[in-house]
Amino acid sequence: MQAFDFVRATSVDEVVSILRQNGNQARVLSGGTDLLVALREGRAEARVVVDIKGLPETTEMSYSPESGLRLGAAVPCYRMYEDEELSSLYPGLMDSARLIGGVQIQGRASMGGNLCNASPAADSIPNLIAHSAVCVIAGPNGRREVPVEEFCVAPGRTVLQPGEFLLYLQIPAPRPGFGAAYQRFIPRNEMDIAVVGVGASVQLDESRSVIQSARIALGAVAPTPLYVPEAGEALAGQRISDEVIERAAEIAKAAARPITDMRGTAEYRKHLSGVLTRRVLKKAIERAQAS
Ligand SMILES: Cc1cc2nc3c(=O)[nH]c(=O)nc-3n(C[C@H](O)[C@H](O)[C@H](O)COP(=O)(O)OP(=O)(O)OC[C@H]3O[C@@H](n4cnc5c(N)ncnc54)[C@H](O)[C@@H]3O)c2cc1C
């Protein structure tokens, strides 16, 4: 493994300054469960690794009914699902937190790191898109916000510019009648990469029988996680029924543009996109009706 300098940063300015000085030879470390493996295998290079877990902004996890959940970029998954209030407010988000790796990985791995790693098959990204999460990015020119669906631009590549890093994710507060869910298909129960993953959310009306709006996003079926707004639009204003769910599932299936690889053929992945969209929509509706 290549030798590198390790800095445990204590301020946003310090991180930005190190990233600016070292260009692509500086890497941000949240949980390290992707980064350290990549460095060890020679898939990534770094002269300096900046640990951001010493920053209050990246480790903060706080909720308010007005602004929702502020999730620091380096908050490990276990802190999310062990928080009873957050687990009951965001059961859909916890679907991802609970299935990334196993218990040991969840002790370190963050949703911020999962997002910045920008794998097309990442388990938190379709779910964050379904939850309308927004990235708050810090950099040499201050802060800017980017919706999660615009953050990944290619496998392993994001909108982050030199000197920038992800500070935290802002996730809207769930209103009554909101529900979300994420499911993936993998050939075994854990420790595998999604063949397809689907996140969905719905906002129901007061009667809980009409869908006001919906968001659907797919993983592992395109070079980046894929937001499918037209699938949500097909549900908006519709009374809940198997037919409208089926129509949205067909739209999601049609939007998927997967490749064939060792985990599955393109045809199989397209089929799974429809099946999982149907299942997560039903789960999201069930949660919304119980909210
Ligand atoms: C055994 C094992 C099982 C796994 N199982 C799964 C799984 O089931 N599902 C899944 O999706 N993933 C899985 N992973 C991959 C990994 O655990 C996740 O992607 C995890 O969420 C990454 O988070 P992290 O905090 O460890 O990121 P890190 O490894 O710290 O960072 C990942 C990448 O993002 C960059 N980065 C991190 N934070 C920031 C930031 N704030 N700003 C800018 N760049 C940043 C890093 O430089 C690096 O390139 C697995 C990994 C292992 C080793």
Side-chain angles (χ1 to χ4, degrees):
M1 188 171 170
Q2 176 200 359
F4 53 77
D5 289 335
F6 181 82
V7 181
R8 188 168 162 79
T10 53
S11 74
V12 172
D13 288 348
E14 187 184 1
V15 178
V16 172
S17 154
I18 292 169
L19 293 178
R20 283 189 78 180
Q21 279 167 24
N22 294 278
N24 62 8
Q25 282 298 311
R27 302 300 290 253
V28 173
L29 178 128
S30 291
T33 61
D34 273 318
L35 181 63
L36 295 177
V37 178
L39 288 171
R40 190 176 283 279
E41 290 179 350
R43 287 184 287 111
E45 282 183 16
R47 208 165 42 222
V48 52
V49 169
V50 200
D51 182 357
I52 57 167
K53 288 192 294 298
L55 272 60
E57 293 95 332
T58 58
T59 49
E60 177 179 344
M61 185 175 73
S62 59
Y63 174 79
S64 88
E66 294 76 36
S67 53
L69 171 62
R70 180 169 165 157
L71 182 67
V75 172
C77 291
Y78 88 93
R79 267 187 64 200
M80 297 175 66
Y81 61 71
E82 284 198 350
D83 187 300
E84 283 181 21
E85 186 195 10
L86 284 188
S87 291
S88 72
L89 283 164
Y90 297 96
L93 205 54
M94 302 308 157
D95 289 345
S96 294
R98 282 200 182 85
L99 61 66
I100 290 178
V103 168
Q104 295 90 341
I105 293 293
Q106 290 154 17
R108 305 291 291 184
S110 61
M111 286 205 173
N114 193 248
L115 176 58
C116 292
N117 196 54
S119 161
D123 280 312
S124 73
I125 308 179
N127 205 344
L128 288 167
I129 295 172
H131 281 81
S132 306
V134 171
C135 307
V136 179
I137 296 166
N141 302 317
R143 294 185 184 187
R144 66 186 177 111
E145 296 188 358
V146 174
V148 169
E149 57 267 33
E150 294 171 17
F151 187 77
C152 301
V153 295
R157 285 192 41 222
T158 70
V159 296
L160 290 175
Q161 296 299 306
E164 287 188 327
F165 73 108
L166 178 69
L167 204 50
Y168 60 88
L169 291 155
Q170 191 70 49
I171 302 165
R175 290 195 284 129
F178 176 85
Y182 174 80
Q183 286 184 19
R184 69 177 180 186
F185 178 80
I186 55 173
R188 50 187 208 176
N189 285 339
E190 54 187 19
M191 293 289 189
D192 211 337
I193 294 173
V195 179
V196 174
V198 181
S201 69
V202 295
Q203 179 65 53
L204 304 184
D205 72 349
E206 276 181 13
S207 73
R208 302 287 198 272
S209 58
V210 174
I211 302 169
Q212 289 180 329
S213 60
R215 288 172 69 91
I216 293 160
L218 313 178
V221 297
T224 60
L226 192 65
Y227 175 43
V228 191
E230 54 286 13
E233 283 154 19
L235 292 164
Q238 300 294 321
R239 188 164 288 279
I240 296 165
S241 70
D242 286 346
E243 289 71 34
V244 297
I245 291 172
E246 191 56 42
R247 200 179 319 141
E250 283 302 318
I251 294 170
K253 183 177 163 185
R257 33 179 215 280
I259 54 165
T260 294
D261 67 9
M262 66 179 186
R263 290 196 181 78
T265 63
E267 190 188 7
Y268 183 47
R269 284 189 153 112
K270 256 190 169 307
H271 168 72
L272 281 173
S273 301
V275 172
L276 288 182
T277 300
R278 199 181 311 124
R279 288 185 190 166
V280 291
L281 274 172
K282 286 188 173 170
K283 187 72 191 169
I285 289 168
E286 187 187 306
R287 283 176 170 156
Q289 288 176 328
S291 72

